[in-house]
Amino acid sequence: MIELEQVAYSYGEGELLSDISVSLTPGSFHFLTGPSGAGKTTFLKLCYGELVPTSGQARLFDRDVRSLTRDDIADIRRRIGVVHQDCQFLDHLPIADNIALPLTVAGKSVHSQDGNLSELMSWVGLRSRAAALPPELSGGERQRAALARAVIMSPDVILADEPTGNLDWEMSQRLLTLLVELNRMGKTVVIATHDIGLIRAAKSQVQARVLRIANRHLTVGADL
Amino acid sequence: MAKRFEISHVMDFIIGDAQAERAVPPTGFTARLTLFSAAVMAFLAVFALALSVSAGRLSERWSAELAQSATLRISAPQGQMQAQTDAAMSVLETTPGIESARVLDAAEQRKLLEPWFGPDVPLDSLPVPQLIEIVEADVGVDTEALRVRLAGEAPGAVLDDHTRWRKPLAAAASRLWFLGWLSIVLIFAVMGAMITLAANAALSANAKVISVMRLVGARDSYIVDAFVRRFTLRTLSGAAIGMVLGVVAVVMLPAARGEAGFLSDLGFAGAGWLWPLIIPALAAVVAFAATRAAARRTLKELR
């Protein structure tokens, strides 16, 4: 599904990631850990084609990322849901329209009263907030809205970058439960986090693999 | 392979995608700026077009009027004037290509001299040459042969076929015509530059919107169309307003009168009034191309 083979990535002259090899298979669950600035976000960006490796090979759905056109990348992003730490939204649109944005840009007509959308908003506990604008939402609500937007296209992969970074423990658990549910539905999930407590909590619910980035290298199945 | 042009594409573009439209936030300032620029440029373009069309018309008229007429000037001692005039007339009457020839009488000659000498010119006491007005037939006259014959029959006759007047007048009019069209091209170039600046400002202001749309799987064409449609329709509306105001201003120019010359003749004639309709259409094409290029350039910087 997503394969990185001897991938390196450099910003300018400094190499951030080196000799990264990993395969994210369908239905797998991964935690990506490592100190701040180790390259977790860069790793995720390599996984959804926002960055191209400076060396090595990144394959997204069996296609070399270097051979992808801009339209190919757009199409692949419809199969990969991304939850960013800063949860970027279109601030002038109600949150329901923001959640439906992946459908909109794919040319699928969406109405805010659409059954699936309402169901999804209920699932993330935001049904009563459908008409609210993003700046009116709390941190937890924004994270859940970002998750709802990431999954509305029923993607094969969900990449979440520090999704619980701004949340309290209870809200973190709620978000984790949603991600575990998605994994049980067959989605591949990668959560970048340095919240060890969250990883331990998840291990009781799901068979997760830990990927650790430190000193430019990735260790698969690392001890916590 | 180039995309096939289909009318349905144009209709889709005009109707637009309401969802895509909403995704890009309204930009009040750039919207007003684009509308205003397009209106002003279209207003100026109407005048440049009127200038060019009028100059072209004038050039044709002057050329046609002067090309079919000539003047014969007879300078001879007082005693020989009538004899040489008669001889010249008989030459003219037997020259192929001359439709008519007429000796100007004293009153007509006085009228011609009035602008320089004032009224009541004492023609009898001045050595004024006798003028003969010649109107050529469509087939034209062999002026060289006519000059040779006149030199033999009426040595004091000098034929002026208006070439030395016609050439500079026609050249001046055609230069005006060219300058008019050059102005139109420059106006549209400036319009393109202004729209590019406005589009760049809108794209920069919406960098986050574009980034979010790319993240959730929007293709470039989807994002580009949302901006291009907005700027194209704004420009079309502005240019239409400017064009109507420009045409009204041209209509309100003083009516053409013979003595008022070129300026009072500025405007369109007959079907020529349809010419200004191309201005909003051209403006829309310029806006489409300028915004599309700006949006594509901006998107290339994102992955």
Side-chain angles (χ1 to χ4, degrees), chain A residues 49 70 75 92 97 110, chain B residues 19 22 219-220 299 302-303:
Chain A
R70 293 179 62 79
D75 293 344
H92 63 289
D97 289 348
V110 183
Chain B
Q19 301 268 13
R22 290 187 63 222
R219 289 184 169 197
D220 284 355
L299 281 168
L302 288 168
R303 192 164 155 88

Side-chain angles (χ1 to χ4, degrees), chain B residues 134-248:
Chain B
I134 301 166
V135 177
E136 296 175 13
D138 289 342
V139 290
V141 178
D142 180 352
T143 50
E144 285 313 303
L146 180 59
R147 279 198 176 99
V148 171
R149 285 186 66 202
L150 286 168
E153 306 285 329
V158 176
L159 178 67
D160 178 3
D161 63 1
H162 299 161
T163 305
R164 68 196 167 108
W165 299 106
R166 196 166 66 219
K167 278 187 178 168
L169 278 175
S174 76
R175 195 156 300 170
L176 268 178
W177 174 88
F178 171 75
L179 286 174
W181 280 107
L182 182 65
S183 305
I184 291 168
V185 170
L186 292 176
I187 285 168
F188 278 103
V190 171
M191 192 188 282
M194 282 177 163
I195 291 164
T196 301
L197 287 174
N200 277 336
L203 289 160
S204 298
N206 287 299
K208 184 184 151 192
V209 170
I210 294 169
S211 161
V212 170
M213 287 169 86
R214 279 293 296 172
L215 180 71
V216 298
R219 289 184 169 197
D220 284 355
S221 55
Y222 183 88
I223 301 168
V224 168
D225 283 355
F227 283 94
V228 167
R229 183 174 179 276
R230 187 171 286 191
F231 275 88
T232 302
L233 294 184
R234 266 180 210 159
T235 305
L236 182 67
S237 315
I241 293 167
M243 183 270 290
V244 169
L245 293 177
V247 169
V248 169

Side-chain angles (χ1 to χ4, degrees), chain B residues 91-135:
Chain B
V91 168
L92 292 173
E93 280 160 11
T94 56
T95 302
I98 290 183
E99 194 171 285
S100 66
R102 188 175 66 84
V103 178
L104 265 61
D105 62 24
E108 286 174 302
Q109 300 224 131
R110 192 173 291 115
K111 200 175 172 187
L112 285 173
L113 292 171
E114 249 183 35
W116 285 273
F117 297 107
D120 306 323
V121 189
L123 273 187
D124 297 341
S125 58
L126 290 172
V128 178
Q130 177 63 55
L131 299 179
I132 297 175
E133 185 188 82
I134 301 166
V135 177

Side-chain angles (χ1 to χ4, degrees), chain A residues 27-78:
Chain A
S28 56
F29 198 110
H30 307 262
F31 281 106
L32 180 64
T33 67
S36 295
K40 297 191 291 292
T41 301
T42 300
F43 175 88
L44 293 181
K45 285 182 175 178
L46 288 165
C47 290
Y48 66 87
E50 182 159 336
L51 297 177
V52 177
T54 40
S55 69
Q57 196 180 46
R59 296 180 68 80
L60 309 182
F61 300 100
D62 298 325
R63 294 188 64 187
D64 186 336
V65 77
R66 288 193 184 85
S67 72
L68 299 175
T69 64
R70 293 179 62 79
D71 280 352
D72 291 336
I73 290 171
D75 293 344
I76 278 179
R77 286 187 190 161
R78 294 173 190 178

Side-chain angles (χ1 to χ4, degrees), chain A residues 124-204:
Chain A
V124 293
L126 288 175
R127 192 166 184 178
S128 61
R129 305 286 278 148
L133 294 175
E136 296 166 3
L137 300 184
S138 68
E141 286 172 328
R142 288 170 68 85
Q143 290 287 3
R144 281 181 280 140
L147 180 63
R149 185 181 68 186
V151 302
I152 197 165
M153 288 287 280
S154 191
D156 300 309
V157 181
I158 294 148
L159 305 175
D161 190 4
E162 301 282 2
T164 59
N166 302 317
L167 305 182
D168 58 29
W169 176 249
E170 189 185 342
M171 192 56 73
S172 298
Q173 287 302 304
R174 199 166 157 188
L175 201 71
L176 177 66
T177 305
L178 294 175
L179 287 164
V180 169
E181 275 182 46
L182 288 166
N183 179 248
R184 286 183 183 143
M185 291 157 69
K187 315 292 182 193
T188 303
V189 177
V190 181
I191 304 172
T193 183
H194 47 243
D195 183 347
I196 304 298
L198 185 77
I199 300 172
R200 288 190 175 130
K203 281 204 158 182
S204 63

